Amino acid sequence: MRAYWISERWKEAWGLTIVIALLTALSSKASVWLAEASGDLVNSIALFHDPDNTTPLASLLTSAGLLILLVLLKDAGFIGIRHLFSTTLHRKWRRWLNGRFNDALLDDNHTHFHLQHGAGAQVNGIAASPDNIDQRVQESIKGMTGGAIGLAMGIAGVVTSLFFVGQKLLELSTNVSGLEFLGDYGSAVLAFAAIAIYVPLNTLIALKLGRLLERLTVSMQQAEGSYRGELTTLFRRSFYVAASHGEGVQKAMHQRLYGDIDRNWASLNKINAGYMSFELIYNFVAARIVAYGPSLVPYMQNSISLKAYVTGAELVNSLISPCSWFIHVMPEIATLKANARRVIDLAVAIEHVQKPRDFYRLSGHSDFHYGTQNAVFGLRIQNLELMHQGTDAVPFLSATNLRFRRGEWTFVTGDSGSGKTSLIKAINGLWPYGRGHVDFPEGIKSFYAAQDVKLPNVSLKELVCLPCTRHEYSDAQVAAALHKGGLGDFIEYMGQQAREGKAWDQVLSGGQKQKLIVARILLQQPGLLFLDEAAGALDAQAKIAFHQAIKDHCPRITVISVMHEAVPPKSATGAEFYDSVLSIADSVASKKPLVVNLPAELTTILEQAQPLGRQRFPRIRLKEK
């Protein structure tokens, strides 16, 4: 939590902290003034009919007016302004910390992805894949930063009150019969003793209740996060739930998740009700007995006046209040500890993900090595084995030696579930378990296009420019890419984040989203392209146009493509797009040319055997296994 105060924003952090500390000290000093003013008001009331009091009404109004002014100064001045500064500190601290977590989650290491793929693993008792990351970043950080500032102000208030109020109590102290050995500090010692016994004893009770509240609060946050996460997922796949008539199953799942919320809430309500009763009784005893008890003895002995008695009691009461701060805010402290635990667990998990291989080794085998080689040699894969989670897992796909030369188009085929997509993910460092070596061509930009396209809520131009910024390409370049990709009708809207009130993710159909990917490829001109069912939502003619656009506008691009089709598409003239086929069968990936050039003598013989009008037969298709 101290990181903000030693960061590049340290001047901002310390400046606000010092102002808050000064206002806290002034508020504590104002409590002394209020106690004295309360004593003066009670004394003016008590002496209202005293014959020696020649101006009773004026004295009463003056004391009451001064008390009101002091209340305004303390509550509206010191405390109100302090609240403004403390909430400003809260806002700026939260923004800084939120930025740190966003930078960590969205780094080049794909931390946000890896955090969700180490399920079941634990690091020092902390889950390697924390639940409800969105809730931790949004709600837990907000609660932790706000709670920490409140805790710090409370502690500062206790310290300054002990100093100012304690100083005044010692100043007003007097001799107490039976405690003559204490001299003039007898009444002050009685007051401090009453506070020292009463407050700590009740604080211990509050701490025990606070531990229960902390555990229940953590459980409640987890249950709330799970329920909210499932609701979010429902609306993302609403169509599939409706198409499969899965409302009944979804409803049962929601009822089960909300049941966890309800049970934790019921337990929290019981503990909170008990704590409220404890706090009310504590406040009454503190204000009416503990505060007025110590000074009662010297008052009964006629050692102090009524004014001194009331002033002393008000001072004790004003001292009990800050010293009891831990009791008053124990539920908030429990929530603070719960929020801090969830934020810290996330931070620890992020730290462990910085080395993905070590992270995944906690729950399985992971020994991937990624390097580069001269671009002339293209992409090379050696001794690759893919596995699932578990230390006893066996490979479900292996590839001994695969090479993809520059400009080569490779079609990946295999049965459903054979590991085609897993292979593409592994090459790109997005498959967690297995081993092998992958060498990328040096200095070549790669691009991964998946079947399921989710569009962030940004302008159409930014969608085409991703992962680059919109400033890296001109409007003319983006418009040309949209036109070549088959989305020319949307060029006039490319500066807008929405169309007719709907974000682009809702405006564009599945096929149009895949055309958007084509536009992105044509704009950015990658040298290595991975197509993972990237044309699955297109019809036959659109798939041909998809491939032809890349073929025409991305010379020398290396393409590795996974498709549902048993055979790859051809151009409108019958020419092959693909040069080779990578087949996955019996858990083994092997690559071979899709077509071969025949010797001249064999070509002549075949041409003579063909019907008249067929002039050439330069290539044949290899029979697939």
Side-chain angles (χ1 to χ4, degrees):
M1 283 197 252
R2 67 174 180 268
Y4 176 53
W5 279 262
I6 56 175
S7 70
E8 72 284 354
R9 307 297 293 270
W10 66 271
K11 291 182 180 179
E12 170 186 274
W14 281 107
L16 290 168
T17 302
I18 291 170
V19 172
I20 293 168
L22 289 174
L23 290 170
T24 300
L26 288 172
S27 176
S28 298
K29 184 63 176 178
S31 296
V32 176
W33 300 335
L34 279 172
E36 293 177 321
S38 296
D40 288 338
L41 178 60
V42 172
N43 190 61
S44 63
I45 294 173
L47 299 178
F48 190 83
H49 298 291
D50 191 321
D52 296 331
N53 187 0
T54 57
T55 57
L57 183 60
S59 299
L60 178 62
L61 293 176
T62 301
S63 300
L66 179 60
L67 184 63
I68 292 172
L69 286 175
L70 288 172
V71 168
L72 291 174
L73 177 65
K74 178 185 177 184
D75 294 343
F78 300 149
I79 295 180
I81 295 174
R82 186 185 67 172
H83 177 74
L84 175 62
F85 277 92
S86 66
T87 51
T88 300
L89 177 61
H90 183 196
R91 176 173 58 83
K92 291 183 177 294
W93 183 15
R94 181 195 174 190
R95 180 179 179 179
W96 178 84
L97 190 56
N98 184 77
R100 290 295 301 273
F101 271 92
N102 272 284
D103 290 343
L105 288 168
L106 298 170
D107 60 2
D108 293 337
N109 192 45
H110 310 304
T111 294
H112 63 95
F113 174 82
H114 296 306
L115 272 179
Q116 303 174 73
H117 290 79
Q122 295 240 335
V123 180
N124 299 325
I126 297 174
S129 295
D131 63 274
N132 305 310
I133 295 174
D134 59 331
Q135 183 198 46
R136 294 172 188 256
V137 173
Q138 182 183 6
E139 295 179 8
S140 296
I141 286 180
K142 179 182 179 182
M144 184 192 74
T145 50
I149 292 172
L151 175 64
M153 288 196 302
I155 294 173
V158 172
V159 173
T160 53
S161 292
L162 282 171
F163 177 77
F164 290 118
V165 179
Q167 186 182 51
K168 194 64 179 180
L169 277 173
L170 290 172
E171 183 182 318
L172 296 177
S173 183
T174 186
N175 197 320
V176 177
S177 179
L179 297 175
E180 289 83 2
F181 64 93
L182 295 174
D184 291 337
Y185 297 111
S187 62
V189 170
L190 284 177
F192 288 132
I195 296 171
I197 294 172
Y198 184 70
V199 175
L201 181 63
N202 285 276
T203 301
L204 289 176
I205 298 172
L207 283 172
K208 291 185 178 295
L209 293 173
R211 291 192 188 99
L212 287 174
L213 287 171
E214 180 187 351
R215 288 197 296 269
L216 287 171
T217 300
V218 170
S219 298
M220 186 70 170
Q221 288 180 344
Q222 291 173 337
E224 291 275 12
S226 298
Y227 184 56
R228 185 182 66 183
E230 186 56 40
L231 284 174
T232 302
T233 303
L234 165 66
F235 291 111
R236 286 178 179 170
R237 52 186 172 90
S238 180
F239 169 78
Y240 303 102
V241 174
S244 63
H245 299 281
E247 284 82 2
V249 174
Q250 194 73 33
K251 187 187 301 182
M253 188 188 307
H254 289 179
Q255 289 173 345
R256 175 176 57 80
L257 291 173
Y258 193 82
D260 293 338
I261 294 176
D262 192 61
R263 284 188 292 274
N264 281 288
W265 200 355
S267 300
L268 267 174
N269 287 343
K270 292 175 185 176
I271 301 299
N272 278 323
Y275 198 93
M276 182 184 296
S277 301
F278 160 74
E279 189 177 3
L280 289 171
I281 294 171
Y282 172 85
N283 289 339
F284 177 82
V285 174
R288 294 291 180 265
I289 298 176
V290 178
Y292 283 84
S295 299
L296 183 61
V297 176
Y299 178 71
M300 293 173 62
Q301 295 174 351
N302 207 26
S303 298
I304 58 174
S305 64
L306 176 62
K307 175 183 176 181
Y309 174 49
V310 173
T311 301
E314 288 294 325
L315 286 170
V316 172
N317 192 34
S318 65
L319 187 57
I320 290 176
S321 181
C323 290
S324 304
W325 182 83
F326 290 100
I327 296 174
H328 297 319
V329 299
M330 190 56 67
E332 287 77 11
I333 291 177
T335 302
L336 167 62
K337 292 176 69 178
N339 284 322
R341 182 193 299 181
R342 288 177 67 75
V343 173
I344 291 169
D345 287 354
L346 175 58
V348 171
I350 288 174
E351 290 296 327
H352 286 291
V353 175
Q354 299 311 302
K355 297 181 179 179
R357 276 192 298 167
D358 295 340
F359 173 69
Y360 288 123
R361 283 171 180 165
L362 298 170
S363 54
H365 300 284
S366 183
D367 194 23
F368 293 106
H369 298 270
Y370 297 91
T372 59
Q373 62 180 3
N374 193 297
V376 173
F377 300 108
L379 173 69
R380 180 179 62 182
I381 299 168
Q382 290 182 306
N383 303 319
L384 185 70
E385 291 183 336
L386 303 187
M387 306 173 188
H388 291 296
Q389 185 179 6
T391 54
D392 57 349
V394 296
F396 65 85
L397 187 151
S398 61
T400 304
N401 189 15
L402 299 176
R403 292 178 181 272
F404 304 87
R405 68 182 186 275
R406 188 171 184 181
E408 180 182 8
W409 285 46
T410 302
F411 176 72
V412 183
T413 183
D415 295 336
S416 179
S418 61
K420 300 186 296 295
T421 294
S422 301
L423 175 62
I424 300 295
K425 289 181 178 178
I427 295 173
N428 285 274
L430 299 176
W431 185 262
Y433 302 107
R435 61 177 65 94
H437 294 261
V438 179
D439 292 316
F440 282 86
E442 192 173 20
I444 299 298
K445 182 194 299 185
S446 66
F447 190 103
Y448 188 144
Q451 178 184 18
D452 192 16
V453 182
K454 297 293 185 183
L455 303 179
N457 189 20
V458 295
S459 69
L460 182 59
K461 180 180 179 180
E462 289 174 291
L463 291 175
V464 180
C465 293
L466 284 173
C468 303
T469 67
R470 60 186 176 88
H471 303 292
E472 297 183 48
Y473 298 98
S474 67
D475 289 351
Q477 289 175 305
V478 175
L482 284 169
H483 176 72
K484 294 173 184 176
L487 295 175
D489 292 342
F490 295 98
I491 290 175
E492 59 182 306
Y493 306 105
M494 67 180 183
Q496 300 178 12
Q497 289 189 358
R499 187 179 178 188
E500 297 178 354
K502 293 182 179 180
W504 288 108
D505 193 54
Q506 297 174 297
V507 172
L508 300 178
S509 66
Q512 288 173 327
K513 289 178 182 178
Q514 293 185 334
K515 290 179 180 180
L516 177 67
I517 298 302
V518 177
R520 192 179 293 172
I521 294 168
L522 301 185
L523 178 68
Q524 300 185 30
Q525 293 288 305
L528 181 58
L529 176 62
F530 299 91
L531 300 176
D532 185 5
E533 302 288 355
L538 301 175
D539 58 30
Q541 293 301 316
K543 285 180 182 178
I544 293 174
F546 179 100
H547 285 78
Q548 194 66 57
I550 298 173
K551 196 77 171 180
D552 292 342
H553 300 287
C554 299
R556 304 204 69 186
I557 189 173
T558 302
V559 178
I560 302 174
S561 176
V562 173
M563 299 180 70
H564 279 306
E565 289 77 5
V567 294
K570 297 181 181 181
S571 70
T573 62
E576 297 283 2
F577 287 120
Y578 290 88
D579 306 296
S580 57
V581 59
L582 192 156
S583 301
I584 299 177
D586 299 326
S587 301
V588 177
S590 58
K591 181 171 170 284
K592 60 186 178 182
L594 181 64
V595 294
V596 295
N597 291 319
L598 298 176
E601 296 82 0
L602 182 56
T603 302
T604 303
I605 294 172
L606 290 172
E607 285 179 343
Q608 292 173 352
Q610 296 301 315
L612 292 176
R614 183 69 177 271
Q615 297 301 316
R616 292 188 58 82
F617 191 80
R619 301 189 296 178
I620 65 171
R621 179 182 300 277
L622 292 179
K623 184 181 291 184
E624 296 183 2
K625 183 176 178 181

